[in-house]
Amino acid sequence: MRIVQICSEAVPFAKTGGLADVTGALSKALVELGHDVTLILPNYSRFLAKNNVESRPIGESFDIPLGDRRVGISLRQTQMPGSDVRVVLVDQPEFFDRDGIYQEPHSKADYADNAARFTAFPRAALEAVARLDLRPEIIQAHDWQTGLVPALLEAQYRKWVPAMERTAAIMTLHNMAFQGAYPAETMPLTGLGYEYFNWKQMEFWKQVNLLKTGIVFADLINTVSPTYAREIQTPEFGHGLDGVLRDRAADLTGILNGIDSHEWNPSLDSHLPAKYDIDSLDVGKVECKRALQQRVGLPQRADVPLFGLVSRMSWQKGFDLIGACADRLLERDVQVVILGNGQPEYEELCRHLAAKYPQKARAVIGYDESLAHQIEAGSDMFLMPSKFEPCGLNQMYSMAYGTLPIVRATGGLADSVVGATAETLANGTATGFSFHDHHPEQFWQQLDWSLRLFADKPAWHRVQRAGMSRDWSWSRSAREYVELYERALGRRSN
Ligand code: ADP
Ligand code: GLC
């Protein structure tokens, strides 16, 4: 199958979160299954330079009319390291030669011209598909930044380009909290006429809503876990678009993300001071814990339960619960290591905890790929009490690394972590700890329970091993995507 992925970030080129892990790893996994994959993303030249990615011009350039002006686009090409994924970069220095992807580093406000950037990008990407004669059977768009893709395909490219007449569009939803909603005056940037600005298509509460646009025009829609696919059809999780999603319920499914088992594998991980697998936990993981304590400057003790946390610091991730339970937890004999950045109040909360408990807690405010790996490996428990979580990757990394995640049973956390209970411990399925309601007492009960189980070493090891033996690889999820593509193609050929 010829598949084009259009997205605003992908590992190893540019990343702000799990979206990039997924677009990069899914593309590679599809190639491994024998498909022809092209990944199209903006040419964030500063990020590519930082990541030592070289690219070359393809020799295609064109203009797109954007409101009352025209912007020049040229195309570049590069290769996905270690894979045959073809990577096309949409070069537009005014929009993409910047220090940030959606906002300046350390700024809390998005770039003021994001509407222009992420209407220009999908338009340029489809033009690239046509000009490079990629003839895809499937085009998959990810999140609001590419929400225009299914609409442009339907309104323009299926009519304009014979080789795209039967191309099916998949819209993948990674997070309903971000929708790309802009004032009505944004319409001229989209390349589509005001006839599309109505409540059944692109309009939502008098604004242009790019995510809604993608949902309405895609052949099939998926999200990144089966539970989240159900949740987003309810007002609590739909962020206003639950009705739109209920209208398309028959076309909406959930596919749990995988993890890149080369990148996130304790037996291969070059960020770790010692590599380990399921049979060498006692040596390797113990050494990773010691090295983590040393790196962050906590007492080097093997016996103390160490809680790790790596996250964007956003209200989505349940930092209010961390704040509510932190003192109770830190009064015990424990250690806590936190890595993340984001909303200032949560950064402040974590700094405050580290200052209050200097022998027990550390907070590293920032983004640090190698420390993220070391925390996954060196911790005993991993904290992820998210308010909502479309899929979540860190809980899967944790289980693969023999670290027991403590999660709220929502979205992909509910679909991947089996909470320890008398029953799941007895039948050997438990892989972590899980609670239902977004409530401090429920979170606390699981923290307390994890400490009790930690003291029972044989039981703890069984849970570690159960998590490490599960198949978290992308090949499982990529096969489900192929089935989804086949369904979409079936529709188009009828
Ligand atoms: P989300 O995409 O909602 O942020 P995910 O769990 O899907 O959540 O993915 C988060 C990804 O970003 C993981 O790969 C995680 O390790 C990484 N990450 C998040 N914050 C940091 C940070 N401060 N430093 C390094 N990696 C981080
Ligand atoms: C989003 C979600 C996260 C998910 C990721 C990749 O960032 O917040 O839960 O894992 O996308 O799909």
Side-chain angles (χ1 to χ4, degrees):
M1 224 182 278
R2 282 182 304 275
I3 302 158
V4 169
Q5 301 283 344
I6 304 183
C7 58
S8 58
E9 48 182 286
V11 164
F13 308 108
K15 164 170 167 176
T16 66
L19 169 62
D21 291 284
V22 170
T23 51
L26 171 60
S27 300
K28 289 200 284 184
L30 289 167
V31 165
E32 275 164 32
L33 292 178
H35 301 286
D36 176 281
V37 181
T38 304
L39 179 70
I40 307 185
L41 80 159
N43 184 28
Y44 302 108
S45 35
R46 299 185 198 181
F47 288 79
L48 270 67
K50 233 187 301 172
N51 293 323
N52 299 317
V53 176
E54 286 182 7
S55 67
R56 57 181 176 80
I58 300 179
E60 275 289 343
S61 38
F62 50 88
D63 278 1
I64 49 173
L66 200 66
D68 50 13
R69 66 183 186 130
R70 303 185 74 84
V71 294
I73 306 280
S74 59
L75 301 178
R76 301 181 70 84
Q77 185 164 1
T78 183
Q79 195 67 33
M80 176 73 89
S83 161
D84 287 337
V85 176
R86 186 183 308 109
V87 183
V88 173
L89 301 166
V90 168
D91 194 32
Q92 215 299 322
E94 180 196 332
F95 286 157
F96 302 120
D97 182 20
R98 297 189 185 181
D99 289 332
I101 295 183
Y102 310 122
Q103 51 194 218
E104 278 300 290
H106 311 300
S107 154
K108 301 304 166 205
D110 284 349
Y111 287 124
D113 60 351
N114 273 357
R117 299 170 77 225
F118 293 108
T119 48
F121 170 61
R123 295 179 63 191
L126 280 173
E127 190 58 28
V129 172
R131 285 176 182 253
L132 301 175
D133 198 24
L134 297 177
R135 304 169 170 260
E137 283 137 301
I138 297 290
I139 296 186
Q140 183 170 357
H142 298 263
D143 275 355
W144 71 268
Q145 299 89 332
T146 55
L148 259 192
V149 165
L152 294 169
L153 186 61
E154 176 61 18
Q156 301 173 343
Y157 283 86
R158 281 195 191 111
K159 300 188 180 104
W160 293 349
V161 183
M164 292 167 79
E165 202 181 340
R166 294 201 159 177
T167 301
I170 307 284
M171 184 74 224
T172 300
L173 310 173
H174 297 261
N175 197 328
M176 294 301 297
F178 303 99
Q179 300 184 358
Y182 295 106
E185 303 77 69
T186 308
M187 259 326 268
L189 300 181
T190 65
L192 295 166
Y194 273 98
E195 66 275 22
Y196 290 97
F197 190 67
N198 64 72
W199 69 274
K200 286 195 157 173
Q201 294 179 311
M202 298 177 71
E203 185 255 356
F204 189 67
W205 293 100
K206 302 202 167 21
Q207 291 191 303
V208 180
N209 185 307
L210 296 173
L211 189 64
K212 172 177 173 176
T213 302
I215 294 169
V216 168
F217 283 95
D219 292 286
L220 292 176
I221 306 144
N222 83 295
T223 179
V224 286
S225 69
T227 295
Y228 195 60
R230 289 189 297 275
E231 287 173 338
I232 57 179
Q233 297 179 48
T234 67
E236 189 188 346
F237 293 93
H239 296 269
L241 293 182
D242 42 294
V244 178
L245 289 162
R246 283 195 300 277
D247 278 350
R248 298 223 52 194
D251 301 327
L252 168 63
T253 49
I255 301 178
L256 193 72
N257 290 330
I259 68 177
D260 186 325
S261 41
H262 300 287
E263 269 293 303
W264 289 95
N265 181 338
S267 65
L268 303 173
D269 194 329
S270 54
H271 298 289
L272 305 185
K275 301 183 183 31
Y276 61 91
D277 60 17
I278 197 162
D279 298 317
S280 54
L281 279 171
D282 285 345
V283 190
K285 193 167 167 66
V286 170
E287 171 54 17
C288 289
K289 181 172 176 178
R290 194 205 54 74
L292 173 64
Q293 290 165 327
Q294 182 180 32
R295 172 163 177 184
V296 299
L298 284 172
Q300 293 171 40
R301 288 174 50 198
D303 62 312
V304 64
L306 197 167
F307 293 79
L309 194 170
V310 179
S311 182
R312 283 188 295 122
M313 292 188 173
S314 140
W315 59 278
Q316 172 190 341
K317 303 292 179 178
F319 278 90
D320 53 335
L321 295 184
I322 304 274
C325 295
D327 282 320
R328 246 164 133 183
L329 181 63
L330 282 156
E331 277 155 20
R332 302 280 187 90
D333 184 23
V334 300
Q335 294 181 344
V336 177
V337 178
I338 298 174
L339 167 65
N341 56 5
Q343 280 177 239
E345 64 270 36
Y346 303 135
E347 294 185 352
E348 193 40 47
L349 164 74
C350 297
R351 280 201 195 94
H352 164 78
L353 290 173
K356 187 167 173 189
Y357 301 96
Q359 289 300 309
K360 295 183 175 179
R362 284 291 179 276
V364 179
I365 306 300
Y367 191 92
D368 186 330
E369 191 75 35
S370 89
L371 184 58
H373 285 249
Q374 290 159 7
I375 291 177
E376 287 292 3
S379 304
D380 299 299
M381 295 84 156
F382 190 90
L383 300 171
M384 211 159 164
S386 303
K387 204 168 168 63
F388 69 93
E389 197 61 76
C391 177
L393 298 170
N394 279 302
Q395 82 282 9
M396 293 194 268
Y397 301 154
S398 298
M399 291 183 281
Y401 280 63
T403 300
L404 275 43
I406 304 179
V407 306
R408 188 165 99 77
T410 181
L413 299 174
D415 293 336
S416 57
V417 177
V418 180
T421 60
E423 192 190 337
T424 59
L425 285 174
N427 66 21
T429 54
T431 59
F433 303 90
S434 157
F435 61 100
H436 270 98
D437 299 336
H438 179 84
H439 194 284
E441 198 47 41
Q442 288 203 8
F443 182 36
W444 171 250
Q445 277 166 17
Q446 291 305 312
L447 293 171
D448 183 55
W449 171 212
S450 75
L451 290 171
R452 281 181 281 129
L453 197 70
F454 185 72
D456 178 352
K457 286 292 171 261
W460 189 264
H461 284 145
R462 276 197 298 280
V463 181
Q464 285 182 303
R465 298 163 85 93
M468 291 181 87
S469 357
R470 292 258 304 258
D471 177 12
W472 304 112
S473 72
W474 260 105
S475 52
R476 169 189 51 84
S477 316
R479 284 199 177 86
E480 289 184 52
Y481 272 102
V482 173
E483 281 167 26
L484 182 75
Y485 302 155
E486 276 161 0
R487 249 180 79 204
L489 278 183
R491 298 254 184 116
R492 279 280 143 206
S493 50
N494 288 334

